[in-house]
Amino acid sequence: MRKINHPPRIGTWILKRIYDEGLFEEVSGDLYELYFLRLGSMGKRKASLFYLWDVILSIRNIDLKKKSLKQNNEFAMLGNIITISFRSLRNRKFYSILNLAGLTTSICFSLLLWLYVSDQHSYDKHYENALRIYRVNADFNMNGKRDIYCNVPQPVAAALKKDFAEVEETVRMAGLGGLEVHTAMLKVQDRKIKSSQLFIVGPTFFKIFNHEFADGSSIIALSEPNSIVITEKFAIKLFGTTHALGMEVSLPDYGKLLKVTGVLKDESANTHLTAEAFVSWDTFKEWDLNW
């Protein structure tokens, strides 16, 4: 049966005479830990001597009348722990370097992973109604082949709001040239500007996805046909100024002349709805389908 090496009992007896039960457990636990650390590196004899020396240092606290530790003794204990730690690092350099390298790599990887996950979870969280906004998908199963699309037939929005009281508001969105294409050519006088971030949206868009307006009103900005709301950055690109309210821009490929009814402040928040301009849905009333 393996013999367990205990520190000298006289030291434990002295500690019990100095501290009350609560402090005794705390102080003796620290000294025991130091003892067993030294035991592995110095041997029993030196470890016992150092243990008794630490106990002797504790006698200075006898004037506490078993109530609390003196701060200077705590600093002395901390100094001993730091000294032992550095001694261990010096005696086992390769093992210590290996451990530190592994720890550093783990911390860096965890930090990078946390930054990536935080960035991914930040998308579209800046909207006031972010927790109550849902996108309706289409889930088709055709002869055993399942396809999920991020778009649905146009009448679904009105049907949902009509038949389900839980649906407070809906908005339809599409891209010029198709549901998944957002590229269009805009024309200002003789200049043509191509945009790959152009949506046509219903009048309730800014009620659901709140944006800060630099000019115009979110309530009426998209309420009429041939209306367009643009960002400040896109306004400078089109007109050379952010004061573009009331100015006109055309969509030559569609034969539409649009009037700027709102200018949005540029946002830096993460969103999957990155757009330079929003055109009112009624501008393309001829595209409305009922199937």
Side-chain angles (χ1 to χ4, degrees):
M1 189 172 180
R2 186 175 178 181
K3 183 178 179 182
I4 301 176
N5 291 312
H6 291 285
R9 297 182 184 278
I10 183 64
T12 304
W13 182 85
I14 294 174
L15 291 176
K16 285 184 177 181
R17 297 300 179 275
I18 299 175
Y19 303 104
D20 62 11
E21 185 176 350
L23 286 175
F24 169 75
E25 294 294 335
E26 182 179 345
V27 175
S28 63
D30 290 340
L31 294 183
Y32 272 39
E33 185 176 346
L34 284 172
Y35 170 78
F36 286 112
L37 284 173
R38 291 163 175 161
L39 189 65
S41 59
M42 302 178 178
K44 181 174 177 58
R45 183 177 178 183
K46 288 186 177 180
S48 297
L49 290 174
F50 274 104
Y51 174 79
L52 291 175
W53 177 247
D54 288 334
V55 171
I56 292 171
L57 291 177
S58 296
I59 295 177
R60 72 184 74 177
N61 297 318
I62 198 167
D63 62 320
L64 295 178
K65 297 181 180 179
K66 302 184 178 182
K67 288 186 179 180
S68 63
L69 285 169
K70 278 189 176 179
Q71 190 176 12
N72 60 353
N73 193 56
E74 293 178 352
F75 286 138
M77 187 72 67
L78 179 62
N80 283 337
I81 294 174
I82 294 174
T83 300
I84 293 171
S85 300
F86 276 106
R87 186 179 299 138
S88 178
L89 290 173
R90 187 176 64 250
N91 293 338
R92 297 184 291 178
K93 293 181 181 178
F94 177 77
Y95 182 74
S96 299
I97 292 174
L98 190 65
N99 277 340
L100 289 173
L103 179 62
T104 303
T105 303
S106 300
I107 292 175
C108 291
F109 178 80
S110 299
L111 180 61
L112 291 174
L113 183 61
W114 176 78
L115 289 173
Y116 174 77
V117 172
S118 297
D119 179 72
Q120 292 298 303
H121 278 274
S122 69
Y123 274 78
D124 299 315
K125 295 295 178 64
H126 60 289
Y127 297 120
E128 290 180 4
N129 298 316
L131 297 179
R132 298 193 293 135
I133 298 175
Y134 294 86
R135 184 179 68 187
V136 181
N137 295 333
D139 191 339
F140 296 106
N141 191 328
M142 295 175 285
N143 298 322
K145 182 179 182 297
R146 186 185 183 190
D147 291 309
I148 300 177
Y149 299 95
C150 65
N151 48 67
V152 294
Q154 292 185 29
V156 169
L160 287 175
K161 188 173 181 181
K162 177 183 176 182
D163 296 340
F164 295 92
E166 296 85 355
V167 179
E168 298 178 35
E169 194 56 84
T170 62
V171 63
R172 293 184 294 180
M173 301 182 62
L176 288 179
L179 291 172
E180 296 180 358
V181 181
H182 315 289
T183 302
M185 189 68 68
L186 296 95
K187 186 177 180 181
V188 178
Q189 297 178 350
D190 296 329
R191 296 187 304 112
K192 290 185 176 181
I193 298 94
K194 189 176 183 180
S195 174
S196 59
Q197 298 178 355
L198 185 60
F199 291 90
I200 56 174
V201 298
T204 58
F205 178 80
F206 294 115
K207 185 177 180 181
I208 297 175
F209 299 97
N210 60 289
H211 288 70
E212 189 174 358
F213 275 67
D215 277 316
S217 169
S218 62
I219 300 174
I220 61 173
L222 296 172
S223 60
E224 297 181 358
N226 303 312
S227 301
I228 184 172
V229 175
I230 59 180
T231 63
E232 287 182 316
K233 186 176 181 180
F234 197 50
I236 294 174
K237 190 175 181 180
L238 289 173
F239 307 107
T241 177
T242 59
H243 301 291
L245 199 65
M247 295 186 179
E248 293 183 339
V249 57
S250 65
L251 290 169
D253 295 338
Y254 301 93
K256 305 289 184 181
L257 181 63
L258 309 175
K259 181 181 179 180
V260 178
T261 55
V263 179
L264 303 175
K265 289 188 176 182
D266 295 324
E267 294 183 342
S268 59
N270 284 337
T271 177
H272 80 290
L273 295 174
T274 53
E276 293 179 322
F278 300 97
V279 181
S280 61
W281 188 275
D282 286 343
T283 303
F284 296 90
K285 197 69 177 178
E286 65 272 17
W287 289 5
D288 272 351
L289 301 173
N290 194 30
W291 51 267

